Amino acid sequence: MSALPILYSFRRCPYAMRARMALIVGGMQCQLREVDLGNKPEDMLRVSPKGTVPVLLFADGSVLDESLDIMLWALSQSDIPAWLNPEAGSLDTMLDLIERNDSEFKHHLDRYKYPDRYTAEQADPLAHRAAACTYLNELEALLNTNDFLFGPHASLADLAVFPFVRQFAATDSDWFASLDSPRLHAWLTGWQESDLFTAAMHKHPVWQTDSAPAFLLA
Ligand SMILES: N[C@@H](CCC(=O)N[C@@H](CS)C(=O)NCC(=O)O)C(=O)O
């Protein structure tokens, strides 16, 4: 068991969610350490001083502390359903869409969901909600041709983007349901109800140095 990688995670963090989903898809067993973001473990900060989750620490001491790097590593270990080689695109086109999720869409999502954190900018949450729809409309257009973002099967892009769309939708679920985006609604529901997401959202108590090991894969 000591050779297993250790994943420092936070259940409700969208970056950690997508890393956990990719690790599960890749069949990568890990020791899971649920982190209290208000009281981060020193063991985690020692290997990744920037203090964000997820962090994946390997037995040889190497570290991946960006969620996308963890996903790419996990899926490349066992890319059985070709999550990195979608039918309707390429790794590069997926990475472009993910990059825009992580910059443009996340920018608007944060200002829509947490306007109190951006009072200095005088952020108008509804203006940011409207701006975020440009990205969501692009997702809807992609989903018009296929059930998933880059083809008839799920891919890296679906996993990477879904937790952020979920967060956006939950900010005002009635308003989101009123959008004329039937393909996006179906895609989001499918992911929210998936066995993969259910497995990734398993609850673990906050890790303490004397906790018994917990594992990502049941
Ligand atoms: N670029 C990083 C971002 C990770 C990130 O920002 N995670 C948040 C939680 S959702 C975090 O750990 N924030 C630090 C804090 O709240 O102290 C990644 O993709 O892994």
Side-chain angles (χ1 to χ4, degrees):
M1 286 299 180
S2 60
L4 287 178
I6 294 170
L7 179 69
Y8 291 96
S9 181
F10 175 58
R11 183 173 178 271
R12 289 187 291 115
C13 165
Y15 299 100
M17 279 177 205
R18 68 188 190 180
R20 293 195 303 270
M21 287 198 290
L23 287 162
I24 294 171
V25 169
M28 294 294 113
Q29 182 61 296
C30 305
Q31 269 197 46
L32 191 138
R33 295 185 175 175
E34 178 73 11
V35 167
D36 171 359
L37 289 179
N39 183 19
K40 295 169 191 160
E42 286 183 13
D43 299 50
M44 180 184 108
L45 294 172
R46 202 174 306 120
V47 298
S48 181
K50 74 186 171 92
T52 62
V53 291
V55 174
L56 189 63
L57 168 64
F58 294 92
D60 68 0
S62 54
V63 173
L64 292 175
D65 62 5
E66 282 293 321
S67 56
L68 188 54
D69 291 338
I70 296 172
M71 298 181 81
L72 289 167
W73 176 79
L75 296 174
S76 66
Q77 298 304 300
S78 171
D79 192 19
I80 297 164
W83 296 79
L84 298 177
N85 297 296
E87 288 90 334
S90 65
L91 182 55
D92 282 346
T93 52
M94 290 196 295
L95 291 175
D96 283 348
L97 191 80
I98 296 167
E99 209 288 310
R100 291 191 39 237
N101 174 80
D102 293 7
S103 52
E104 171 191 329
F105 183 65
K106 177 78 163 79
H107 172 90
H108 294 306
L109 167 62
D110 285 346
R111 284 155 184 78
Y112 165 43
K113 188 171 165 65
Y114 308 109
D116 294 351
R117 295 184 191 169
Y118 299 95
T119 43
E121 288 180 23
Q122 297 185 313
D124 172 358
L126 295 188
H128 285 286
R129 180 174 81 177
C133 286
T134 305
Y135 186 75
L136 294 180
N137 289 338
E138 287 176 37
L139 301 186
E140 176 74 11
L142 287 172
L143 294 166
N144 250 320
T145 347
N146 286 296
D147 284 348
F148 296 92
L149 292 173
F150 286 94
H153 303 291
S155 69
L156 170 79
D158 297 276
L159 293 189
V161 167
F162 150 68
F164 297 89
V165 177
R166 173 179 174 270
Q167 217 176 50
F168 182 90
T171 304
D172 182 344
S173 51
D174 289 341
W175 176 83
F176 187 79
S178 76
L179 288 179
D180 181 21
S181 302
R183 303 289 296 170
L184 187 66
H185 290 150
W187 173 86
L188 179 64
T189 303
W191 280 110
Q192 291 189 133
E193 294 178 353
S194 68
D195 291 344
L196 176 58
F197 185 56
T198 303
M201 293 303 282
H202 187 83
K203 282 189 181 160
H204 295 275
V206 170
W207 178 76
Q208 314 282 351
T209 43
D210 58 355
S211 298
F215 300 97
L216 178 64
L217 302 180

